[in-house]
Amino acid sequence: MRHTLLVLAHPRPDSLTARTAAQMQLRIKEAGGTVDLLDLYAEDSDPRLTPADEPDWEDREKRYSPEAHAHMDRITAADDILVVFPVWWFAPPAVVKGWIDRVWNYGFAYGRSRPRLAGKRMLWLGLAGGTYEDYAKTGLATALDLQLRVGVSEFCGIAESSVTLLHGTELSGVPQALRPARVAEVLEAAGAALDDHLPR
């Protein structure tokens, strides 16, 4: 039985991003796993890096803020990490970047001869309004992959990591009658990504 830290990054609980995270939570539990839902907005996670959480390159044993250490404990307890987020300005929301800055910190996530996070699996699941073709043509999908999979996961010792984008998730241009079918397609694609990259 594997334990998943499911990180949600969207301010609206009725968003498609939140619905996707809820569906992933259900699938993991139905498969026999356990889930710790970390809703960054609902838990009022502060993305600002203050001196309390700034890395000290001369002290890898630095004690960071209580909030940062509480999140570190939740990461440590997880076998798998799943981050569900909307793609805004071709990047994750600022709250995700702030979470990385404050929690994936020197002495915890990196800066050790033996990475503490090695052996975990990670899936970045982004909901993108644009098409697959647009992202491929401009190189934006590659940029996100390098930023998240290489720049965060692999840098912190998580070799089994992937970035999956769910395209066409902007529903404002979809007629009301067709939206349920589109939502179902997105949730199905999310489930397939979960099965492919974080098999139970």
Side-chain angles (χ1 to χ4, degrees):
M1 182 171 64
R2 298 183 68 87
H3 179 61
T4 301
L5 176 63
L6 173 53
V7 182
L8 169 60
H10 200 288
R12 287 191 296 105
D14 63 343
S15 66
L16 182 54
T17 303
R19 286 190 62 179
T20 301
Q23 182 70 14
M24 298 305 93
Q25 182 177 23
L26 180 62
R27 287 179 72 108
I28 292 169
K29 288 183 175 180
E30 287 178 343
T34 57
V35 179
D36 173 12
L37 176 61
L38 171 53
D39 185 332
L40 293 174
Y41 282 96
E43 296 192 21
D44 201 23
S45 179
D46 190 344
R48 296 172 300 171
L49 181 67
T50 65
D53 290 326
E54 184 179 7
D56 183 346
W57 306 117
E58 296 182 353
D59 180 14
R60 69 179 185 183
E61 307 300 332
K62 175 180 175 175
R63 290 295 299 175
Y64 297 103
S65 68
E67 180 186 0
H69 277 285
H71 285 211
M72 290 175 187
D73 290 343
R74 294 167 80 171
I75 292 171
T76 299
D79 301 299
D80 301 324
I81 304 167
L82 170 59
V83 184
V84 182
F85 63 95
V87 179
W88 291 341
W89 293 103
F90 309 110
V95 73
V96 174
K97 179 63 164 61
W99 182 64
I100 300 289
D101 288 345
R102 295 185 61 203
V103 178
W104 295 62
N105 219 323
Y106 177 64
F108 168 67
Y110 66 96
R112 301 277 176 178
S113 57
R114 297 181 60 187
R116 289 178 168 174
L117 306 186
K120 298 184 186 297
R121 305 182 309 188
M122 188 164 191
L123 172 60
W124 301 88
L125 191 61
L127 281 76
T131 67
Y132 173 86
E133 291 75 17
D134 287 342
Y135 273 69
K137 179 175 61 178
T138 58
L140 291 168
T142 300
L144 272 169
D145 182 71
L146 288 172
Q147 176 190 359
L148 300 175
R149 180 182 58 83
V150 179
V152 179
S153 299
E154 289 188 2
F155 182 75
C156 295
I158 303 177
E160 198 171 340
S161 173
S162 59
V163 177
T164 295
L165 297 181
L166 307 174
H167 292 278
T169 60
E170 176 52 60
L171 299 179
S172 61
V174 179
Q176 287 285 349
L178 301 179
R179 290 185 186 182
R182 183 68 193 115
V183 169
E185 290 174 358
V186 171
L187 296 179
E188 182 178 356
L194 181 70
D195 293 341
D196 286 345
H197 301 289
L198 298 180
R200 308 319 295 169

